[in-house]
Amino acid sequence: MKLIIQIPCYNEGGTLAVALSALPRYVEGFDSVEWLIIDDGSQDDTVEVAKANGVDHIVKHSGNKGLARAFMSGIDACLKFGADVIVNTDADNQYNADDIPKLVEPILQHRAELVIGARPIETIEHFSPAKKLLQKLGSWVVRVASKTDIPDAPSGFRAINRETAQKLIVFNDYTYTLETIIQAGQKDIAITSVPIRVNEELRPSRLVKSIPSYIKKSIITIVRIFVIYRPFRFFGTIGLILFSLGFLIGLRFLFKYFEGNGSGNIQSLILSSILLGMGFQTLLIAFVADLLSANRKLLEDLRFKTAQSHNINNNKKFRLESEDPKNID
């Protein structure tokens, strides 16, 4: 069993050494523990620090692609290097690395395939009230969309088994945290959370450059999540609201008309017609979006089965080469 701990990095030369010094080289249940960093176009000495501190694998982006792309590049590389379990953590040493054994335990016991480290949000001093509120809001939205009970959805401290890692696809460029949990809920992946500890802040969050920016990006992320993963509910709700408003305004016009005041309420008739038309069209979009969502799921399943077949063929090839007398010293 191999565990690979991956760390997405962007200009993390000042904190990476601290984070790496805390990582374990042995975790019970695994034969080997390796470290991997994803250099997301860093312009400082991140790579040099990683090499000096014994990182086993380095994945480089030619430019800054964003946290979500860095996360997925790391997942792909970990699978390539034969990881059975992948742990994702941050380069700013936010998460307490001593909790890694606790994080992987549900996977080793076959109780879960994806494990999220739940931070003590209320007691983290450097989190502003607005950020705490948004963390709770984001977690609530994810629970509704994914039908899971994860209390800290934005947490990046997580463990993933190999099969689940092969299934994950992230469309969002901003962050991977919310989307991967929703995918887990939709794909019937066994997911759970464990309480973890956090360390003192070494630097301000890169994702939260300012509260207004964080609010804006969080709202966009949440809306996109619903559009992608719950399209029928999203467009259907909007369509029903518009159609219902148009229907009620139309009833009001009819009431006035039969009272003999219809000529003075033509505006209500026009508004009712517009809202009914918009509502009906939005409901049609809901059905089309639902069909597209079903097609996406089929493509994701095909991608997963293709990846599994490729891995099986590679394993067979490896065994055949090992059994060939020419390859024996």
Side-chain angles (χ1 to χ4, degrees):
M1 287 278 285
K2 178 187 287 190
L3 170 67
I4 297 184
I5 304 171
Q6 72 167 35
I7 306 179
C9 297
Y10 177 61
N11 293 336
E12 301 288 3
T15 61
L16 182 58
V18 177
L20 291 173
S21 66
L23 294 183
R25 276 298 186 181
Y26 171 78
V27 175
E28 187 175 353
F30 295 94
D31 301 312
S32 63
V33 178
E34 297 177 358
W35 302 346
L36 179 145
I37 72 159
I38 306 95
D39 173 30
D40 191 28
S42 298
Q43 299 172 347
D44 64 354
D45 60 345
T46 294
V47 173
E48 287 72 20
V49 170
K51 291 178 179 178
N53 284 271
V55 169
D56 301 281
H57 311 288
I58 298 176
V59 177
K60 292 185 179 182
H61 286 174
S62 56
N64 182 235
K65 308 293 186 183
L67 179 59
R69 293 279 294 277
F71 172 80
M72 287 307 301
S73 292
I75 293 294
D76 292 340
C78 288
L79 292 173
K80 176 183 176 183
F81 292 127
D84 296 291
V85 177
I86 302 166
V87 165
N88 185 83
T89 188
D90 283 359
D92 61 359
N93 200 42
Q94 174 187 174
Y95 308 108
N96 193 319
D98 291 337
D99 288 332
I100 288 177
K102 183 193 297 185
L103 194 68
V104 300
E105 183 179 357
I107 293 178
L108 293 175
Q109 295 179 351
H110 304 289
R111 293 189 288 109
E113 298 167 292
L114 173 61
V115 184
I116 311 296
R119 297 165 293 180
I121 298 294
E122 291 296 334
T123 62
I124 300 179
E125 296 181 357
H126 60 268
F127 276 18
S128 67
K131 185 174 180 180
K132 290 179 180 179
L133 178 62
L134 286 171
Q135 296 277 359
K136 290 181 179 179
L137 176 61
S139 296
W140 175 79
V141 169
V142 170
R143 285 196 294 272
V144 172
S146 65
K147 297 181 180 179
T148 63
D149 58 354
I150 302 302
D152 185 14
S155 171
F157 194 42
R158 48 188 62 194
I160 313 164
N161 72 0
R162 183 176 182 85
E163 184 174 323
T164 297
Q166 291 174 329
K167 294 179 181 179
L168 295 180
I169 303 174
V170 177
F171 298 99
N172 195 322
D173 291 332
Y174 180 55
T175 181
Y176 59 89
T177 55
L178 309 183
E179 193 171 348
T180 49
I181 294 175
I182 293 173
Q183 284 191 30
Q186 286 205 332
K187 298 175 187 294
D188 295 323
I189 293 169
I191 181 172
T192 189
S193 66
V194 296
I196 53 102
R197 296 163 291 176
V198 295
N199 300 315
E200 293 183 3
E201 184 181 34
L202 295 182
R203 61 159 176 77
S205 171
R206 297 274 172 78
L207 284 179
V208 189
K209 296 179 180 178
S210 67
I211 293 299
S213 172
Y214 184 67
I215 292 173
K216 176 185 174 183
K217 290 182 177 180
S218 295
I219 291 174
I220 292 173
T221 298
I222 289 168
V223 171
R224 286 192 66 187
I225 283 171
F226 268 103
V227 171
I228 293 174
Y229 295 102
R230 288 289 184 268
F232 189 83
R233 178 183 294 185
F234 181 81
F235 290 108
T237 300
I238 295 174
L240 283 175
I241 291 173
L242 292 173
F243 194 88
S244 299
L245 286 174
F247 183 75
L248 291 174
I249 293 172
L251 285 180
R252 177 181 178 276
F253 170 79
L254 290 175
F255 180 76
K256 294 290 185 181
Y257 178 81
F258 287 117
E259 281 188 337
N261 298 322
S263 60
N265 292 275
I266 298 299
Q267 298 91 335
S268 296
L269 178 61
I270 296 172
L271 180 59
S272 174
S273 301
I274 292 173
L275 289 174
L276 286 171
M278 290 175 61
F280 181 72
Q281 290 179 343
T282 307
L283 287 172
L284 290 179
I285 290 174
F287 283 100
V288 173
D290 194 52
L291 290 173
L292 292 174
S293 178
N295 186 58
R296 176 181 54 78
K297 291 177 184 177
L298 291 173
L299 291 174
E300 289 177 0
D301 289 340
L302 180 61
R303 172 183 175 272
F304 172 66
K305 290 177 181 178
T306 302
Q308 277 195 321
S309 176
H310 179 71
N311 289 333
I312 291 172
N313 290 335
N314 283 345
N315 290 335
K316 287 181 178 178
K317 181 179 178 182
F318 176 77
R319 285 197 298 269
L320 288 172
E321 290 177 349
S322 299
E323 293 169 1
D324 189 340
K326 296 178 181 179
N327 295 322
I328 299 175
D329 293 333

